[in-house]
Amino acid sequence: MHYSQPSVSHHLARLEAATGAKLVQRIGRGIRLTPEGQLLANRAAEILGRVDAATSELAAQVGLQTGRVRLAANASTLSTLVPKAAATLAQAHPGLQLSLFDRHPVEALEMLRHGEIDLALVFRHAEAPAEEEGLRLEHLGDDPIYLISRQPDDSLANHRHSAWIGGCHRCQDELNALCLHENFTPCIASYSDDMVVVQSLVAAGAGVATLPGLALRAHRRPDIHATELPGRHRHIYAATYGDPPDPPAVTAVLAALTETTTLPTPIPTPPA
């Protein structure tokens, strides 16, 4: 890291003096963090990320002529809602740079908390616990959930003993909640978060699955059937972190998302 040992010791001593806390203790020929030191280290990634975020915010403040907004979303949202919003944003604010990351909701929210991104698009189902303190959620719409199988007009109750294809942590919680309403626990035989892989496995008879409407808008095989589950939705949110107001560049991206997001929308009919 291009630091000498005396330099590190000097900076640690200054940090301890500034915080009024003992941050490291000697163990044999080495050192380890004290509980106070571990607390500060755990916040280090967030602090550094916030410094980077502040740089982008200051650039964005100057009339939105320059600046960068870092956005994370899962694949189905990133391939449907985000491109439309990006096109709208490019017309309104051509100087803004939108950097995109393909991440599941849990990963996206962790990046948001650490200051590695400025905005996250996440989904939640109705039974999910509240998000952690400090996150602010703006509801963009509700995305219907579909049963993916090889039978038309199918139902969850028909698959009490079928093999199921599970997904990410939130997808799995969502599937368990859906099946619990039908008084059974799904037997998970395979796992995939890829909408193309899931539909291919279903078409091959390897199991059944659930997918949101956005995933089916992004990719739809002609040899599977999608049966909408009445009253079952994913709630889609744009998440920011920290106290309002949001930086102007983030506000501009939120406005573009709100303007271009229309949920629910009909899923495409597969070709004959």
Side-chain angles (χ1 to χ4, degrees), residues 43-74:
R43 289 293 185 183
E46 181 175 350
I47 292 168
L48 292 173
R50 290 295 155 197
V51 171
D52 188 42
T55 303
S56 296
E57 290 167 13
L58 285 172
Q61 185 76 28
V62 186
L64 293 180
Q65 298 302 311
T66 61
R68 177 170 66 115
V69 175
R70 302 160 299 173
L71 182 151
N74 65 301

PDB file of all heavy atoms in Angstrom, residues 43-74:
ATOM      1  N   ARG A  43     -17.226   0.968   9.309  1.00  0.00           N
ATOM      2  CA  ARG A  43     -17.796   2.158   8.672  1.00  0.00           C
ATOM      3  C   ARG A  43     -16.891   2.733   7.587  1.00  0.00           C
ATOM      4  O   ARG A  43     -17.289   3.637   6.858  1.00  0.00           O
ATOM      5  CB  ARG A  43     -18.059   3.242   9.726  1.00  0.00           C
ATOM      6  CG  ARG A  43     -19.211   2.924  10.664  1.00  0.00           C
ATOM      7  CD  ARG A  43     -20.528   2.913   9.915  1.00  0.00           C
ATOM      8  NE  ARG A  43     -21.665   2.731  10.797  1.00  0.00           N
ATOM      9  CZ  ARG A  43     -22.917   2.638  10.394  1.00  0.00           C
ATOM     10  NH1 ARG A  43     -23.181   2.715   9.087  1.00  0.00           N
ATOM     11  NH2 ARG A  43     -23.893   2.465  11.245  1.00  0.00           N
ATOM     12  N   ALA A  44     -15.669   2.210   7.484  1.00  0.00           N
ATOM     13  CA  ALA A  44     -14.696   2.808   6.571  1.00  0.00           C
ATOM     14  C   ALA A  44     -15.170   2.774   5.125  1.00  0.00           C
ATOM     15  O   ALA A  44     -15.049   3.758   4.391  1.00  0.00           O
ATOM     16  CB  ALA A  44     -13.357   2.091   6.710  1.00  0.00           C
ATOM     17  N   ALA A  45     -15.714   1.617   4.693  1.00  0.00           N
ATOM     18  CA  ALA A  45     -16.180   1.509   3.301  1.00  0.00           C
ATOM     19  C   ALA A  45     -17.283   2.516   3.019  1.00  0.00           C
ATOM     20  O   ALA A  45     -17.321   3.150   1.953  1.00  0.00           O
ATOM     21  CB  ALA A  45     -16.667   0.088   3.027  1.00  0.00           C
ATOM     22  N   GLU A  46     -18.187   2.674   3.987  1.00  0.00           N
ATOM     23  CA  GLU A  46     -19.281   3.634   3.806  1.00  0.00           C
ATOM     24  C   GLU A  46     -18.741   5.053   3.750  1.00  0.00           C
ATOM     25  O   GLU A  46     -19.169   5.872   2.923  1.00  0.00           O
ATOM     26  CB  GLU A  46     -20.281   3.492   4.955  1.00  0.00           C
ATOM     27  CG  GLU A  46     -21.467   4.426   4.843  1.00  0.00           C
ATOM     28  CD  GLU A  46     -22.507   4.176   5.929  1.00  0.00           C
ATOM     29  OE1 GLU A  46     -22.402   3.163   6.641  1.00  0.00           O
ATOM     30  OE2 GLU A  46     -23.421   5.006   6.053  1.00  0.00           O
ATOM     31  N   ILE A  47     -17.773   5.374   4.613  1.00  0.00           N
ATOM     32  CA  ILE A  47     -17.193   6.719   4.627  1.00  0.00           C
ATOM     33  C   ILE A  47     -16.517   7.030   3.304  1.00  0.00           C
ATOM     34  O   ILE A  47     -16.728   8.099   2.712  1.00  0.00           O
ATOM     35  CB  ILE A  47     -16.204   6.841   5.801  1.00  0.00           C
ATOM     36  CG1 ILE A  47     -16.947   6.781   7.136  1.00  0.00           C
ATOM     37  CG2 ILE A  47     -15.402   8.145   5.702  1.00  0.00           C
ATOM     38  CD1 ILE A  47     -16.054   6.612   8.343  1.00  0.00           C
ATOM     39  N   LEU A  48     -15.698   6.100   2.820  1.00  0.00           N
ATOM     40  CA  LEU A  48     -14.999   6.319   1.553  1.00  0.00           C
ATOM     41  C   LEU A  48     -15.983   6.439   0.399  1.00  0.00           C
ATOM     42  O   LEU A  48     -15.814   7.253  -0.511  1.00  0.00           O
ATOM     43  CB  LEU A  48     -14.015   5.171   1.298  1.00  0.00           C
ATOM     44  CG  LEU A  48     -12.821   5.108   2.259  1.00  0.00           C
ATOM     45  CD1 LEU A  48     -12.019   3.845   2.018  1.00  0.00           C
ATOM     46  CD2 LEU A  48     -11.941   6.339   2.095  1.00  0.00           C
ATOM     47  N   GLY A  49     -17.035   5.612   0.432  1.00  0.00           N
ATOM     48  CA  GLY A  49     -18.044   5.685  -0.619  1.00  0.00           C
ATOM     49  C   GLY A  49     -18.775   7.003  -0.615  1.00  0.00           C
ATOM     50  O   GLY A  49     -19.112   7.555  -1.660  1.00  0.00           O
ATOM     51  N   ARG A  50     -19.024   7.539   0.596  1.00  0.00           N
ATOM     52  CA  ARG A  50     -19.720   8.815   0.697  1.00  0.00           C
ATOM     53  C   ARG A  50     -18.861   9.966   0.159  1.00  0.00           C
ATOM     54  O   ARG A  50     -19.374  10.934  -0.380  1.00  0.00           O
ATOM     55  CB  ARG A  50     -20.109   9.082   2.150  1.00  0.00           C
ATOM     56  CG  ARG A  50     -21.208   8.172   2.672  1.00  0.00           C
ATOM     57  CD  ARG A  50     -22.516   8.423   1.934  1.00  0.00           C
ATOM     58  NE  ARG A  50     -23.370   7.245   1.969  1.00  0.00           N
ATOM     59  CZ  ARG A  50     -24.392   7.048   1.174  1.00  0.00           C
ATOM     60  NH1 ARG A  50     -24.690   7.934   0.256  1.00  0.00           N
ATOM     61  NH2 ARG A  50     -25.129   5.955   1.269  1.00  0.00           N
ATOM     62  N   VAL A  51     -17.540   9.861   0.339  1.00  0.00           N
ATOM     63  CA  VAL A  51     -16.650  10.875  -0.224  1.00  0.00           C
ATOM     64  C   VAL A  51     -16.766  10.880  -1.743  1.00  0.00           C
ATOM     65  O   VAL A  51     -16.865  11.936  -2.387  1.00  0.00           O
ATOM     66  CB  VAL A  51     -15.193  10.624   0.216  1.00  0.00           C
ATOM     67  CG1 VAL A  51     -14.243  11.545  -0.542  1.00  0.00           C
ATOM     68  CG2 VAL A  51     -15.044  10.838   1.716  1.00  0.00           C
ATOM     69  N   ASP A  52     -16.769   9.684  -2.348  1.00  0.00           N
ATOM     70  CA  ASP A  52     -16.916   9.575  -3.793  1.00  0.00           C
ATOM     71  C   ASP A  52     -18.271  10.100  -4.241  1.00  0.00           C
ATOM     72  O   ASP A  52     -18.397  10.792  -5.253  1.00  0.00           O
ATOM     73  CB  ASP A  52     -16.739   8.113  -4.219  1.00  0.00           C
ATOM     74  CG  ASP A  52     -16.699   7.957  -5.726  1.00  0.00           C
ATOM     75  OD1 ASP A  52     -16.045   8.788  -6.386  1.00  0.00           O
ATOM     76  OD2 ASP A  52     -17.329   7.024  -6.238  1.00  0.00           O
ATOM     77  N   ALA A  53     -19.313   9.777  -3.442  1.00  0.00           N
ATOM     78  CA  ALA A  53     -20.653  10.260  -3.775  1.00  0.00           C
ATOM     79  C   ALA A  53     -20.715  11.784  -3.706  1.00  0.00           C
ATOM     80  O   ALA A  53     -21.359  12.437  -4.534  1.00  0.00           O
ATOM     81  CB  ALA A  53     -21.686   9.638  -2.825  1.00  0.00           C
ATOM     82  N   ALA A  54     -20.035  12.372  -2.715  1.00  0.00           N
ATOM     83  CA  ALA A  54     -20.043  13.825  -2.574  1.00  0.00           C
ATOM     84  C   ALA A  54     -19.421  14.494  -3.795  1.00  0.00           C
ATOM     85  O   ALA A  54     -19.882  15.552  -4.247  1.00  0.00           O
ATOM     86  CB  ALA A  54     -19.296  14.233  -1.308  1.00  0.00           C
ATOM     87  N   THR A  55     -18.368  13.882  -4.346  1.00  0.00           N
ATOM     88  CA  THR A  55     -17.736  14.428  -5.545  1.00  0.00           C
ATOM     89  C   THR A  55     -18.713  14.472  -6.708  1.00  0.00           C
ATOM     90  O   THR A  55     -18.811  15.475  -7.433  1.00  0.00           O
ATOM     91  CB  THR A  55     -16.504  13.580  -5.925  1.00  0.00           C
ATOM     92  OG1 THR A  55     -15.597  13.552  -4.824  1.00  0.00           O
ATOM     93  CG2 THR A  55     -15.805  14.146  -7.148  1.00  0.00           C
ATOM     94  N   SER A  56     -19.470  13.384  -6.870  1.00  0.00           N
ATOM     95  CA  SER A  56     -20.459  13.334  -7.947  1.00  0.00           C
ATOM     96  C   SER A  56     -21.583  14.334  -7.706  1.00  0.00           C
ATOM     97  O   SER A  56     -22.082  14.979  -8.636  1.00  0.00           O
ATOM     98  CB  SER A  56     -21.032  11.919  -8.068  1.00  0.00           C
ATOM     99  OG  SER A  56     -20.027  11.002  -8.432  1.00  0.00           O
ATOM    100  N   GLU A  57     -21.987  14.469  -6.439  1.00  0.00           N
ATOM    101  CA  GLU A  57     -23.084  15.380  -6.113  1.00  0.00           C
ATOM    102  C   GLU A  57     -22.693  16.824  -6.396  1.00  0.00           C
ATOM    103  O   GLU A  57     -23.496  17.619  -6.899  1.00  0.00           O
ATOM    104  CB  GLU A  57     -23.476  15.199  -4.650  1.00  0.00           C
ATOM    105  CG  GLU A  57     -24.156  13.864  -4.368  1.00  0.00           C
ATOM    106  CD  GLU A  57     -24.260  13.575  -2.877  1.00  0.00           C
ATOM    107  OE1 GLU A  57     -24.029  14.515  -2.085  1.00  0.00           O
ATOM    108  OE2 GLU A  57     -24.559  12.426  -2.520  1.00  0.00           O
ATOM    109  N   LEU A  58     -21.454  17.196  -6.047  1.00  0.00           N
ATOM    110  CA  LEU A  58     -21.001  18.562  -6.297  1.00  0.00           C
ATOM    111  C   LEU A  58     -20.962  18.853  -7.798  1.00  0.00           C
ATOM    112  O   LEU A  58     -21.338  19.935  -8.237  1.00  0.00           O
ATOM    113  CB  LEU A  58     -19.618  18.765  -5.687  1.00  0.00           C
ATOM    114  CG  LEU A  58     -19.575  18.899  -4.161  1.00  0.00           C
ATOM    115  CD1 LEU A  58     -18.135  18.907  -3.674  1.00  0.00           C
ATOM    116  CD2 LEU A  58     -20.300  20.160  -3.714  1.00  0.00           C
ATOM    117  N   ALA A  59     -20.511  17.864  -8.586  1.00  0.00           N
ATOM    118  CA  ALA A  59     -20.484  18.051 -10.034  1.00  0.00           C
ATOM    119  C   ALA A  59     -21.897  18.185 -10.582  1.00  0.00           C
ATOM    120  O   ALA A  59     -22.169  19.001 -11.464  1.00  0.00           O
ATOM    121  CB  ALA A  59     -19.771  16.883 -10.693  1.00  0.00           C
ATOM    122  N   ALA A  60     -22.801  17.387 -10.029  1.00  0.00           N
ATOM    123  CA  ALA A  60     -24.184  17.414 -10.510  1.00  0.00           C
ATOM    124  C   ALA A  60     -24.891  18.704 -10.124  1.00  0.00           C
ATOM    125  O   ALA A  60     -25.840  19.132 -10.788  1.00  0.00           O
ATOM    126  CB  ALA A  60     -24.952  16.219  -9.954  1.00  0.00           C
ATOM    127  N   GLN A  61     -24.427  19.335  -9.043  1.00  0.00           N
ATOM    128  CA  GLN A  61     -25.078  20.555  -8.561  1.00  0.00           C
ATOM    129  C   GLN A  61     -24.942  21.692  -9.554  1.00  0.00           C
ATOM    130  O   GLN A  61     -25.776  22.585  -9.615  1.00  0.00           O
ATOM    131  CB  GLN A  61     -24.454  20.950  -7.215  1.00  0.00           C
ATOM    132  CG  GLN A  61     -25.117  22.128  -6.523  1.00  0.00           C
ATOM    133  CD  GLN A  61     -26.427  21.725  -5.877  1.00  0.00           C
ATOM    134  OE1 GLN A  61     -26.598  20.584  -5.492  1.00  0.00           O
ATOM    135  NE2 GLN A  61     -27.360  22.662  -5.781  1.00  0.00           N
ATOM    136  N   VAL A  62     -23.880  21.660 -10.366  1.00  0.00           N
ATOM    137  CA  VAL A  62     -23.615  22.754 -11.291  1.00  0.00           C
ATOM    138  C   VAL A  62     -24.502  22.595 -12.527  1.00  0.00           C
ATOM    139  O   VAL A  62     -24.057  22.200 -13.598  1.00  0.00           O
ATOM    140  CB  VAL A  62     -22.127  22.797 -11.685  1.00  0.00           C
ATOM    141  CG1 VAL A  62     -21.833  24.042 -12.527  1.00  0.00           C
ATOM    142  CG2 VAL A  62     -21.250  22.785 -10.442  1.00  0.00           C
ATOM    143  N   GLY A  63     -25.781  22.868 -12.354  1.00  0.00           N
ATOM    144  CA  GLY A  63     -26.704  22.886 -13.473  1.00  0.00           C
ATOM    145  C   GLY A  63     -26.921  21.561 -14.153  1.00  0.00           C
ATOM    146  O   GLY A  63     -27.431  21.518 -15.265  1.00  0.00           O
ATOM    147  N   LEU A  64     -26.512  20.443 -13.534  1.00  0.00           N
ATOM    148  CA  LEU A  64     -26.659  19.119 -14.124  1.00  0.00           C
ATOM    149  C   LEU A  64     -25.999  19.044 -15.504  1.00  0.00           C
ATOM    150  O   LEU A  64     -26.449  18.317 -16.378  1.00  0.00           O
ATOM    151  CB  LEU A  64     -28.142  18.727 -14.229  1.00  0.00           C
ATOM    152  CG  LEU A  64     -28.876  18.504 -12.909  1.00  0.00           C
ATOM    153  CD1 LEU A  64     -30.326  18.112 -13.162  1.00  0.00           C
ATOM    154  CD2 LEU A  64     -28.201  17.447 -12.060  1.00  0.00           C
ATOM    155  N   GLN A  65     -24.936  19.810 -15.674  1.00  0.00           N
ATOM    156  CA  GLN A  65     -24.201  19.744 -16.933  1.00  0.00           C
ATOM    157  C   GLN A  65     -23.231  18.569 -16.949  1.00  0.00           C
ATOM    158  O   GLN A  65     -22.901  18.039 -18.003  1.00  0.00           O
ATOM    159  CB  GLN A  65     -23.440  21.052 -17.173  1.00  0.00           C
ATOM    160  CG  GLN A  65     -24.350  22.255 -17.294  1.00  0.00           C
ATOM    161  CD  GLN A  65     -25.364  22.110 -18.419  1.00  0.00           C
ATOM    162  OE1 GLN A  65     -24.993  21.764 -19.537  1.00  0.00           O
ATOM    163  NE2 GLN A  65     -26.621  22.350 -18.127  1.00  0.00           N
ATOM    164  N   THR A  66     -22.757  18.208 -15.772  1.00  0.00           N
ATOM    165  CA  THR A  66     -21.863  17.067 -15.638  1.00  0.00           C
ATOM    166  C   THR A  66     -22.288  16.272 -14.415  1.00  0.00           C
ATOM    167  O   THR A  66     -23.191  16.674 -13.685  1.00  0.00           O
ATOM    168  CB  THR A  66     -20.399  17.517 -15.467  1.00  0.00           C
ATOM    169  OG1 THR A  66     -20.302  18.310 -14.271  1.00  0.00           O
ATOM    170  CG2 THR A  66     -19.920  18.321 -16.661  1.00  0.00           C
ATOM    171  N   GLY A  67     -21.621  15.175 -14.186  1.00  0.00           N
ATOM    172  CA  GLY A  67     -21.929  14.378 -13.006  1.00  0.00           C
ATOM    173  C   GLY A  67     -22.210  12.941 -13.382  1.00  0.00           C
ATOM    174  O   GLY A  67     -22.335  12.591 -14.560  1.00  0.00           O
ATOM    175  N   ARG A  68     -22.292  12.114 -12.350  1.00  0.00           N
ATOM    176  CA  ARG A  68     -22.511  10.688 -12.563  1.00  0.00           C
ATOM    177  C   ARG A  68     -23.450  10.163 -11.497  1.00  0.00           C
ATOM    178  O   ARG A  68     -23.352  10.522 -10.320  1.00  0.00           O
ATOM    179  CB  ARG A  68     -21.178   9.935 -12.495  1.00  0.00           C
ATOM    180  CG  ARG A  68     -21.296   8.423 -12.628  1.00  0.00           C
ATOM    181  CD  ARG A  68     -19.915   7.806 -12.804  1.00  0.00           C
ATOM    182  NE  ARG A  68     -19.093   7.968 -11.612  1.00  0.00           N
ATOM    183  CZ  ARG A  68     -18.660   6.959 -10.856  1.00  0.00           C
ATOM    184  NH1 ARG A  68     -18.976   5.715 -11.180  1.00  0.00           N
ATOM    185  NH2 ARG A  68     -17.909   7.169  -9.803  1.00  0.00           N
ATOM    186  N   VAL A  69     -24.378   9.319 -11.914  1.00  0.00           N
ATOM    187  CA  VAL A  69     -25.271   8.623 -10.986  1.00  0.00           C
ATOM    188  C   VAL A  69     -25.054   7.133 -11.180  1.00  0.00           C
ATOM    189  O   VAL A  69     -25.141   6.619 -12.303  1.00  0.00           O
ATOM    190  CB  VAL A  69     -26.751   8.984 -11.229  1.00  0.00           C
ATOM    191  CG1 VAL A  69     -27.653   8.150 -10.327  1.00  0.00           C
ATOM    192  CG2 VAL A  69     -26.981  10.463 -10.973  1.00  0.00           C
ATOM    193  N   ARG A  70     -24.775   6.446 -10.082  1.00  0.00           N
ATOM    194  CA  ARG A  70     -24.530   4.997 -10.109  1.00  0.00           C
ATOM    195  C   ARG A  70     -25.789   4.288  -9.637  1.00  0.00           C
ATOM    196  O   ARG A  70     -26.275   4.546  -8.537  1.00  0.00           O
ATOM    197  CB  ARG A  70     -23.340   4.664  -9.214  1.00  0.00           C
ATOM    198  CG  ARG A  70     -22.054   5.383  -9.614  1.00  0.00           C
ATOM    199  CD  ARG A  70     -21.064   5.428  -8.473  1.00  0.00           C
ATOM    200  NE  ARG A  70     -21.605   6.150  -7.332  1.00  0.00           N
ATOM    201  CZ  ARG A  70     -21.002   6.227  -6.133  1.00  0.00           C
ATOM    202  NH1 ARG A  70     -19.851   5.611  -5.941  1.00  0.00           N
ATOM    203  NH2 ARG A  70     -21.555   6.906  -5.145  1.00  0.00           N
ATOM    204  N   LEU A  71     -26.316   3.419 -10.481  1.00  0.00           N
ATOM    205  CA  LEU A  71     -27.593   2.757 -10.213  1.00  0.00           C
ATOM    206  C   LEU A  71     -27.432   1.243 -10.300  1.00  0.00           C
ATOM    207  O   LEU A  71     -26.817   0.740 -11.251  1.00  0.00           O
ATOM    208  CB  LEU A  71     -28.649   3.244 -11.209  1.00  0.00           C
ATOM    209  CG  LEU A  71     -30.077   2.704 -11.057  1.00  0.00           C
ATOM    210  CD1 LEU A  71     -31.083   3.737 -11.580  1.00  0.00           C
ATOM    211  CD2 LEU A  71     -30.281   1.382 -11.814  1.00  0.00           C
ATOM    212  N   ALA A  72     -27.972   0.537  -9.330  1.00  0.00           N
ATOM    213  CA  ALA A  72     -27.958  -0.929  -9.345  1.00  0.00           C
ATOM    214  C   ALA A  72     -29.380  -1.448  -9.386  1.00  0.00           C
ATOM    215  O   ALA A  72     -30.279  -0.897  -8.740  1.00  0.00           O
ATOM    216  CB  ALA A  72     -27.237  -1.480  -8.115  1.00  0.00           C
ATOM    217  N   ALA A  73     -29.602  -2.519 -10.157  1.00  0.00           N
ATOM    218  CA  ALA A  73     -30.920  -3.132 -10.276  1.00  0.00           C
ATOM    219  C   ALA A  73     -30.753  -4.581 -10.690  1.00  0.00           C
ATOM    220  O   ALA A  73     -29.702  -4.967 -11.217  1.00  0.00           O
ATOM    221  CB  ALA A  73     -31.777  -2.381 -11.303  1.00  0.00           C
ATOM    222  N   ASN A  74     -31.779  -5.384 -10.459  1.00  0.00           N
ATOM    223  CA  ASN A  74     -31.709  -6.784 -10.882  1.00  0.00           C
ATOM    224  C   ASN A  74     -32.007  -6.877 -12.382  1.00  0.00           C
ATOM    225  O   ASN A  74     -32.461  -5.919 -13.009  1.00  0.00           O
ATOM    226  CB  ASN A  74     -32.695  -7.645 -10.080  1.00  0.00           C
ATOM    227  CG  ASN A  74     -34.132  -7.277 -10.336  1.00  0.00           C
ATOM    228  OD1 ASN A  74     -34.540  -6.137 -10.118  1.00  0.00           O
ATOM    229  ND2 ASN A  74     -34.918  -8.230 -10.792  1.00  0.00           N
TER     230      ASN A  74
END
